[in-house]
Amino acid sequence: MTVLFAHARHAVRSARAVRHSAGSFLGRWYTTDDSLEFDVCIVGAGVAGLSSAIRLKQLAQDKGKDVSVCVLEKGKEVGSHVLSGCILETRSLDELLPGWKEDSSCPVKQEVTRDGLYLFSKRAAIPLPKVKAMRNKGNYVVSLSQTARWLGKKAEELGVEIFPGFAAQDLLFQGGIVQGVRTGEFGRAKTGKEKASYVPGIEVKSKLTLLAEGCRGSLSESAIQTFSLRDKGHADPQTYALGIKEIWKVKPSVHKSGHVWHSIGYPLPHNVHGGAFCYHMGADHMVSLGLVMALDYSNPYTSPYGEFQKLKRHPKVASLLEGGECIEYGARCLNEGGLQSLPHLEFPGGALVGDSAGFLNAQKIKGVHTAMKSGIVAAEKAFEGALSMDGYDDAVRDSWIYEELYEARNIRPGFSLLNRYGGLAYAALDSIVLRGKAPWTLKMHKQDHEHLSPVKDMSVQDRPVYPAPDGITTFHITESLYRSGTNHEHDQPSHLKLKNPKIPSVVNAPLYGGPEEHYCPAAVYQYAQESDDNALPSLEIHAQNCLHCKACDIKDPLRNITWTPPEGGGGPSYSNS
């Protein structure tokens, strides 16, 4: 390890809690000519990226070889940006770390003890039969952020270098081949001028770059477009959902360790796919409660956050939360397109792993195990090919990931084509009668933003009504934001870029009713009416509120908003999610 690298590692760890501190530390050693070099650079310290890092080091140790691996993480620490339900199917964990059950430090402890599936009306919860894919016997209720932290420690024990607080900003190219990344700079003011604390980005050069940023990662989307990976993979458009969740500490009398349920129906309209989940965690009477809502909805006035607040008024949920305390809030988009929407997975100099590609099994509502497996396969293919990813795409398709996603491939598009009740009927046919082997494959033909209808097509009755929060179980969005721990340096350029600054005022507001105000679960976007009543409303962007959910990057009517990484270390600070 070079002295330069040792200094960088010390600087990052010393400055985890305060992002601008990282800039002042790194400024002692880095100039624009400085760079770091590794055999493998992994972008994103989620479970997929860390699984790749761990497996690479395991293989290197087994064969007596030295492979240098670094992981760049934009969150202030490993796990701080990781958000999921989460019920963990341990198939991949068993492969990666077979002794995890005997490891007292492993946070995967609470096995599912009871499992339910319901159709919600406004007042009732009607039990539904569960197909095999929805059964959770043998699975575990976990905090995915804590699980990622534990995997991070396992990776470091094997010699992986993890850099939290460093956002990868750009891909580095040489001769059309990706050869690493450039991290974001620190210390640039909103005006664009360099502050006294300014530190330029760092070039992290590598023989292999694995993109494990999660859903809608900025570098992953750049690679997909640059190398035409969707065309090469003959992929349908990706379709997404927004997951919103809270962690509650409930009364001991209503807490049932290991009890889990899922629901479909209320509060969502019949033509919007999605549902709720509730997982009783094992410690401190904690419950994970959330709503997952597909983003191919058409009503521009729909608010996923408002729908989540309505969920908490349902009798089954309200009785659970009564007398409890909400301690954490968060939101994150997830890929739902499945097999049909997978891009080609490899590109010159690198590959996509985990939700950067989109391995979620929407029928199971699980993707952690498939994301981890993709990371394992990527590591094995890289080691086998002397850091070449040739054949990685085929290797994934030869693995159990493909078999699982193939069986589930028609469920999600079935709901888009047939709405709630038709989708349920089709899911029963496909799962129970055809057992996932239908002689057809349903397609997703449109991107989510293309489904949005103009307000002229909406009646007064189409506009949802969201009751005022009571401050007890339902909350104003700013109060929820406080529980996310989200924080950004205020004096920095906005990381939410408008391709055309005029479009919100001349298109989005008059034609679509200003949907940014509704789809964002963090109150980032607000329209302000100018003093002149005849003037068009202007869009204000409160980037410091951003939860990094990526909904704006997906749902904006003309795809005018581009999400880019802010200064490293900014964003939410999840600890129990």
Side-chain angles (χ1 to χ4, degrees):
M1 183 187 298
T2 65
V3 173
L4 179 65
F5 187 88
H7 283 328
R9 182 183 176 93
H10 172 73
V12 175
R13 289 187 169 173
S14 299
R16 278 180 178 173
V18 184
R19 292 169 310 290
H20 69 265
S21 297
S24 60
F25 271 103
L26 291 174
R28 300 176 188 174
W29 301 292
Y30 281 92
T31 69
T32 54
D33 296 325
D34 286 319
S35 64
L36 301 175
E37 294 187 7
F38 296 89
D39 293 320
V40 181
C41 174
I42 299 172
V43 181
V47 294
L50 291 171
S51 294
S52 282
I54 290 169
R55 188 63 185 135
L56 273 166
K57 282 296 192 177
Q58 288 173 337
L59 292 167
Q61 286 189 358
D62 290 346
K63 299 297 183 181
K65 295 185 177 180
D66 183 23
V67 178
S68 59
V69 180
C70 83
V71 179
L72 301 178
E73 167 54 41
K74 66 183 175 67
K76 68 179 182 180
E77 61 182 18
V78 174
S80 63
H81 286 184
V82 174
L83 181 77
S84 180
C86 163
I87 294 181
L88 177 65
E89 187 175 316
T90 63
R91 187 174 186 177
S92 296
L93 185 58
D94 294 336
E95 293 182 25
L96 184 67
L97 297 168
W100 64 268
K101 288 185 179 180
E102 288 73 47
D103 186 341
S104 61
S105 67
C106 178
V108 182
K109 298 184 184 297
Q110 180 58 60
E111 196 165 357
V112 173
T113 58
R114 187 173 178 178
D115 196 1
L117 178 63
Y118 299 93
L119 174 63
F120 272 16
S121 66
K122 188 172 183 178
R123 303 295 302 171
I126 304 166
L128 293 176
K130 296 187 295 293
V131 298
K132 182 179 179 182
M134 289 291 294
R135 295 170 189 161
N136 285 296
K137 182 179 180 180
N139 296 333
Y140 287 76
V141 181
V142 303
S143 160
L144 197 61
S145 60
Q146 292 177 8
T147 303
R149 288 188 182 91
W150 175 72
L151 287 173
K153 291 176 182 176
K154 293 298 174 186
E156 288 184 320
E157 289 171 4
L158 289 166
V160 176
E161 302 291 346
I162 301 178
F163 281 71
F166 279 88
Q169 192 79 39
D170 301 294
L171 295 171
L172 299 177
F173 293 90
Q174 185 171 346
I177 299 172
V178 173
Q179 296 201 332
V181 301
R182 179 181 291 103
T183 66
E185 59 190 7
F186 290 90
R188 188 175 292 280
K190 280 184 179 181
T191 60
K193 293 183 178 180
E194 297 176 4
K195 297 187 285 189
S197 59
Y198 177 78
V199 179
I202 305 161
E203 289 191 351
V204 182
K205 298 178 180 178
S206 59
K207 299 172 184 174
L208 173 64
T209 304
L210 298 180
L211 301 180
E213 302 168 285
C215 176
R216 200 75 185 174
S218 53
L219 294 192
S220 304
E221 291 301 309
S222 175
I224 288 170
Q225 293 174 22
T226 299
F227 296 106
S228 303
L229 299 182
R230 290 210 173 279
D231 291 340
K232 193 171 183 180
H234 306 289
D236 289 355
Q238 183 60 264
T239 189
Y240 301 89
L242 178 62
I244 300 177
K245 69 173 287 187
E246 291 175 343
I247 301 293
W248 280 75
K249 188 171 185 178
V250 299
K251 295 184 299 186
S253 60
V254 297
H255 186 263
K256 310 290 183 184
S257 295
H259 283 210
V260 304
W261 57 256
H262 297 88
S263 72
I264 192 169
Y266 182 86
L268 300 180
H270 74 93
N271 60 348
V272 176
H273 179 57
F277 62 85
C278 181
Y279 307 150
H280 290 243
M281 305 167 86
D284 300 323
H285 310 122
M286 305 271 253
V287 169
S288 174
L289 175 72
L291 180 72
V292 177
M293 176 177 163
L295 289 178
D296 59 353
Y297 63 84
S298 60
N299 190 329
Y301 294 120
T302 298
S303 164
Y305 182 84
E307 299 295 333
F308 179 55
Q309 300 310 303
K310 285 171 61 177
L311 168 70
K312 291 185 286 181
R313 297 174 184 268
H314 189 279
K316 185 173 180 64
V317 180
S319 61
L320 173 67
L321 302 184
E322 184 180 2
E325 178 189 6
C326 181
I327 61 174
E328 194 163 293
Y329 166 81
R332 186 70 169 94
C333 285
L334 51 150
N335 304 293
E336 286 197 332
L339 187 68
Q340 296 93 309
S341 297
L342 279 180
H344 192 70
L345 300 175
E346 61 198 59
F347 52 84
L352 306 172
V353 299
D355 253 5
S356 281
F359 293 106
L360 177 81
N361 182 330
Q363 182 183 25
K364 285 185 174 183
I365 325 174
K366 294 179 183 66
V368 174
H369 64 301
T370 47
M372 291 179 68
K373 178 62 176 178
S374 73
I376 293 169
V377 173
E380 291 174 346
K381 181 53 63 174
F383 193 82
E384 171 192 311
L387 302 186
S388 167
M389 294 307 291
D390 291 346
Y392 165 59
D393 188 89
D394 289 337
V396 168
R397 295 176 189 275
D398 288 339
S399 73
W400 55 257
I401 296 176
Y402 182 88
E403 178 183 348
E404 182 173 313
L405 294 185
Y406 181 83
E407 290 186 4
R409 72 194 185 283
N410 286 329
I411 304 302
R412 176 62 183 86
F415 280 97
S416 284
L417 292 170
L418 302 170
N419 293 332
R420 178 180 301 151
Y421 298 109
L424 281 171
Y426 178 79
L429 169 69
D430 197 285
S431 302
I432 299 171
V433 179
L434 301 175
R435 298 182 182 275
K437 296 178 174 61
W440 57 79
T441 296
L442 302 178
K443 296 289 186 179
M444 304 295 288
H445 297 289
K446 295 166 69 176
Q447 298 184 67
D448 289 343
H449 71 282
E450 296 175 311
H451 288 268
L452 209 60
S453 296
V455 292
K456 67 180 179 61
D457 297 339
M458 301 285 110
S459 67
V460 174
Q461 291 75 22
D462 289 328
R463 186 156 188 164
V465 176
Y466 298 112
D470 60 20
I472 301 171
T473 59
T474 59
F475 309 106
H476 190 276
I477 199 166
T478 53
E479 187 175 355
S480 293
L481 271 176
Y482 174 78
R483 296 190 181 96
S484 72
T486 195
N487 188 40
H488 296 86
E489 168 60 51
H490 283 231
D491 190 16
Q492 65 172 304
S494 174
H495 63 282
L496 302 164
K497 312 293 186 184
L498 298 179
K499 298 173 186 174
N500 184 339
K502 296 181 180 179
I503 282 179
S505 296
V506 300
V507 177
N508 291 7
L511 298 186
Y512 295 96
E516 303 95 328
E517 290 187 323
H518 306 296
Y519 61 62
C520 176
V524 169
Y525 302 98
Q526 293 180 339
Y527 278 91
Q529 183 63 53
E530 301 297 333
S531 56
D532 181 356
D533 291 339
N534 295 319
L536 294 171
S538 60
L539 182 65
E540 297 177 348
I541 300 179
H542 304 282
Q544 67 273 15
N545 291 356
C546 183
L547 291 171
H548 300 199
C549 76
K550 313 295 179 68
C552 58
D553 198 80
I554 296 165
K555 194 61 178 173
D556 185 73
L558 298 185
R559 293 289 288 277
N560 187 48
I561 300 174
T562 300
W563 190 97
T564 63
E567 280 191 4
S573 182
Y574 302 133
S575 58
N576 296 292
S577 297

